Amino acid sequence: MSKKTKDKNWNYSPAPESSSSATIEKRYNLFINGKWVKPSNGKYFKTINPANESVLSEVAEANEKDVDIAVKAARKAYDKTWSKISAKERAKYIYRIARMIQERAREFAVIESMDGGKPIRESRDVDVPLAANHFFYYAGWADKLEYAFPMRKPKAYGVAGQIIPWNFPLLMAAWKIAPALATGNTVVLKPAETTPLTALKLAEIIQEAELPDGVVNIITGAGKTGAAIVNHPDIDKIAFTGSTNVGKIIQQAIAGTNKKATLELGGKAANIIFEDAPIDQAVEGIINGIYFNQGHVCCAGSRLFVQESVYDEVIRKLKWRMKSLIVGDPMDKNTDIGAINSSEQLKTIEKYIAIGKKDGNQIFQSECFLPKKGFWCKPTLFENVAQSDRIAQEEIFGPVLAVQTFRTVDEVIAKANNTPFGLSAGVWTDKGSKIFNVTSKMKAGVVWANTYNKFDPTSPFGGFKESGYGREGGLHGLSAYLKFD
Ligand code: NAP
Ligand code: MG
C-alpha cells in the first residue's frame, strides 16, 4: 500500500474544468423581438462569479418601457406567427433548441457554474441534461395536445410572463419556456439578477434556431423588472418560481385581473428515516437532500427526522460522511459543495446559523478549508432541534440541516406536516406498505421514497400550502398553459 493511501488525510488532486469553452460577452443587451436591443435607460448591472467575486459581464437593466416593448413583441408574434403555424412546425423548433443545448452542453455547464457557484459536476450532469430533456419532452407533446386532453379543445392563453430564481437558472428557464412553446404561447422571461448568463446564452440558441421573432423574449433586471412583467396589462399568464414572499406580492398584484398564474415557491421538506431503512443509502440520501447545490434547492431535505432506535448510528455515519465532503472551487470536478450564490444569501444563511446556536441547538460543521475570496458556508447540522425552532420552520436555502427524532409513524407524520410549506418530502424504509401509508398522508407535492432530489420532465412538480400552486412537468405542466372550451 502506498504511503498516500495509508494516510487517512489524503486528498484528491485538483481536476479543474477549463473555462475556455465558455464565451462570455463583456456586455449583454435585452433579447427582444429576435434582436439584441439596448435598455431604454442605458443602465447595466454586473454579474459576478460568487466563487472569486470577479466580474463576468454586465447585463442590461430593463425598465417598464422595455417590458412593454417585449410584451408587445410577444403579443404580435402570438397573433401573427406562433398561433398560425402548425403544431408540428412548433415542435420542430423546440426539438432544435433541445439539440442545440446538447451540442453546447459543456459551455452551458461551465457558464452555469461560473455565474451561480454550483459544482461543475452538477451543472454538467444534472442542470444541462435535464434542461435539454425538458425541451425534448415538451417538443413531443406539441402536436398531440388533443390526445393529451381528449374532448377538451385545448387553446393557448397568449403571452406568458415568466420569472425565475437563481438556484437552477438554465433548468428553470427550460421548465418555463418549453411547455409554453409546446402549447402555443409566446414568452417574456426574466432570469434572476445574480444568474442571468445561461438564460442569455439560451437566447443566442433561440436566435440561431430561427424561432420566429418575438416568440421568446429574454429580458434582464432585478425585482422591479419582474414586477413590471407581473403588472403589465397585456400578459395572460404569470409563471413564477421564487420565494413565498414575492409569490404573495404577485398574487395580490393580479387579484381581480384575468391573469392566470402558477406559483412555485419555498419549501421546508422533511426527510424521514425509519429504523428499517437501509442506513448507508439513507445517509447518502440525506447528504444529497441538503448539501446538493449548497442547499439552494426549494425541495431540499432541510428537516431530518430519524427514528430514535437508529439515531446514534445515523448521526455518526452522517457526520463521518460530512467530513469527507469537498467544499471549494465549483469548477473542480471533485467538488461536492460550491459557492453560495451571493453575499446576500450567505448573510441569510449565517443569520439562521446564529439563530440555531442561540436557541441552544447543538451544532456540527465539518472542518473544511474555505477559500478566502468568494462566498462559502461549511456543511452544517443542528441536533436536538425543537419543532417550534425557527431553523425547523423557516426556509434557510443553504447547507443547514435541522435534525429531530420520532418514535411512531403518526408522530412523524404530524411533525413533518407541521410547517407552512408543502413542497416535498423523503421517506426511507424497507417496507412498501409503510411507504404507501406515509406518502399518502404527507401534505407535499413530491414525495421521494428511498431516494431524494430526483427530477424528470415527465413527472409533475409543485407545492401545497405556502409552497404555491399549479404544477410544472408532465401533462400537468402542459395544462398550466392551456385554456379549455
Ligand atoms: P425571489 O427573491 O422571490 O426571486 C425570484 C425571482 O423573482 C427573481 O427573478 C427576482 O428578481 C424576481 N422578483 C423579485 N421581486 C419581485 C417582484 N416584486 N415581482 C416580480 N418578480 C420579483 O426568490 P430568490 O430568493 O431569488 O429564490 C429563492 C426562492 O425560490 C426560495 O424561496 C426557493 O424555495 C424558491 N424556489 C422555488 C422553486 C419551486 O419550484 N417551488 C424552485 C426554485 C426556487 P431578482 O433575483 O433579480 O431580484
Ligand atoms: Mg453571478
Side-chain angles (χ1 to χ4, degrees):
M1 193 185 280
S2 75
K3 187 169 178 294
K4 204 168 181 185
T5 46
K6 261 196 290 181
D7 180 357
K8 67 177 184 333
N9 293 321
W10 61 273
N11 286 319
Y12 288 103
S13 299
E17 171 67 63
S18 158
S19 60
S20 62
S21 63
T23 322
I24 301 175
E25 307 291 339
K26 283 216 169 72
R27 175 178 267 199
Y28 283 93
N29 285 314
L30 307 168
F31 183 68
I32 298 178
N33 206 25
K35 287 157 206 78
W36 295 95
V37 297
K38 291 190 173 147
S40 55
N41 61 7
K43 284 193 188 160
Y44 294 82
F45 61 93
K46 294 182 171 66
T47 184
I48 65 162
N49 180 340
N52 56 25
E53 298 170 58
S54 65
V55 175
L56 295 170
S57 181
E58 58 174 29
V59 172
E61 186 189 302
N63 63 11
E64 279 179 18
K65 203 170 154 197
D66 302 305
V67 169
D68 185 49
I69 298 169
V71 173
K72 285 199 168 108
R75 173 64 60 193
K76 191 168 154 220
Y78 177 74
D79 289 340
K80 298 259 156 45
T81 52
W82 204 235
S83 61
K84 299 269 159 55
I85 66 172
S86 72
K88 218 161 90 187
E89 284 303 307
R90 280 207 313 270
K92 282 189 199 166
Y93 286 111
I94 309 169
Y95 276 123
R96 199 178 292 167
I97 295 169
R99 283 195 302 271
M100 290 169 88
I101 293 175
Q102 283 186 323
E103 279 160 19
R104 287 168 67 175
R106 194 181 165 112
E107 184 182 5
F108 270 110
V110 167
I111 296 177
E112 198 73 307
S113 285
M114 288 171 80
D115 202 17
K118 65 173 61 190
I120 187 75
R121 217 175 51 210
E122 273 166 30
S123 42
R124 183 195 64 194
D125 297 347
V126 181
D127 297 60
V128 179
L130 270 176
N133 279 352
H134 264 84
F135 280 101
F136 276 121
Y137 174 72
Y138 280 114
W141 275 121
D143 61 348
K144 301 174 194 73
L145 298 178
E146 272 110 45
Y147 302 97
F149 307 102
M151 319 288 288
R152 295 189 62 201
K153 296 212 175 98
K155 213 168 161 286
Y157 282 121
V159 179
Q162 308 182 320
I163 300 161
I164 56 175
W166 43 260
N167 58 343
F168 290 91
L170 178 69
L171 184 58
M172 289 298 122
W175 277 30
K176 297 278 180 282
I177 295 174
L181 295 186
T183 46
N185 293 272
T186 58
V187 165
V188 176
L189 175 131
K190 186 196 94 65
E193 192 181 350
T194 57
T195 55
L197 294 182
T198 45
L200 293 164
K201 281 273 146 194
L202 186 61
E204 286 178 10
I205 281 188
I206 284 165
Q207 200 175 28
E208 278 174 43
E210 295 178 353
L211 199 73
D213 291 347
V215 171
V216 173
N217 304 275
I218 296 185
I219 57 173
T220 43
K224 261 182 152 179
T225 313
I229 296 176
V230 170
N231 293 319
H232 194 288
D234 204 27
I235 292 274
D236 298 301
K237 191 225 150 86
I238 300 290
F240 173 77
T241 298
S243 60
T244 296
N245 279 346
V246 175
K248 286 179 182 173
I249 294 171
I250 292 176
Q251 205 165 16
Q252 281 164 4
I254 64 171
T257 71
N258 265 337
K259 290 174 190 165
K260 299 281 179 281
T262 39
L263 303 176
E264 302 278 3
L265 310 176
K268 193 75 190 174
N271 205 1
I272 303 168
I273 318 297
F274 285 101
E275 61 190 356
D276 58 0
I279 300 296
D280 290 344
Q281 278 115 299
V283 167
E284 279 309 304
I286 299 164
I287 293 279
N288 182 28
I290 184 65
Y291 301 124
F292 168 66
N293 199 20
Q294 299 70 250
H296 296 339
V297 185
C298 50
C299 47
S302 52
R303 290 182 300 151
L304 174 65
F305 290 94
V306 187
Q307 199 155 18
E308 265 185 17
S309 50
V310 289
Y311 184 79
D312 289 344
E313 182 187 359
V314 169
I315 295 300
R316 177 173 51 79
K317 288 185 167 169
L318 183 57
K319 287 181 178 172
W320 178 81
R321 182 69 180 91
M322 282 169 74
K323 285 183 195 162
S324 71
L325 291 172
I326 300 173
V327 184
D329 183 7
M331 297 294 278
D332 192 314
K333 289 164 202 150
N334 297 317
T335 295
D336 298 303
I337 299 184
I340 299 301
N341 185 264
S342 64
S343 66
E344 211 185 348
Q345 185 58 25
L346 180 58
K347 275 188 212 126
T348 304
I349 297 168
E350 284 171 345
K351 178 189 87 180
Y352 277 107
I353 291 178
I355 290 171
K357 284 185 190 164
K358 196 164 155 268
D359 284 346
N361 301 299
Q362 200 179 317
I363 186 171
F364 172 82
Q365 291 182 310
S366 69
E367 287 165 18
C368 50
F369 161 84
L370 299 182
K372 280 216 172 62
K373 274 206 145 180
F375 317 124
W376 308 95
C377 181
K378 291 180 178 178
T380 304
L381 175 156
F382 279 107
E383 286 181 79
N384 304 327
V385 176
Q387 188 68 14
S388 56
D389 282 343
R390 285 183 67 188
I391 58 166
Q393 288 291 329
E394 297 174 23
E395 188 182 41
I396 302 173
F397 222 56
V400 181
L401 182 62
V403 189
Q404 296 175 255
T405 58
F406 69 94
R407 288 184 187 167
T408 67
V409 172
D410 288 346
E411 178 193 352
V412 77
I413 291 170
K415 281 180 165 172
N417 283 334
N418 182 14
T419 82
F421 299 106
L423 191 59
S424 59
V427 181
W428 296 81
T429 168
D430 196 32
K431 296 216 167 39
S433 56
K434 211 184 271 174
I435 289 173
F436 285 121
N437 180 28
V438 175
T439 55
S440 63
K441 290 175 182 153
M442 208 61 83
K443 294 195 186 84
V446 181
V447 188
W448 286 289
N450 293 331
T451 186
Y452 207 91
N453 270 341
K454 289 279 181 287
F455 304 96
D456 190 289
T458 64
S459 98
F461 184 91
F464 281 51
K465 301 192 277 185
E466 291 200 8
S467 293
Y469 54 78
R471 296 290 177 264
E472 293 186 308
L475 280 180
H476 299 66
L478 281 175
S479 63
Y481 285 93
L482 291 167
K483 54 187 170 191
F484 300 94
D485 284 345

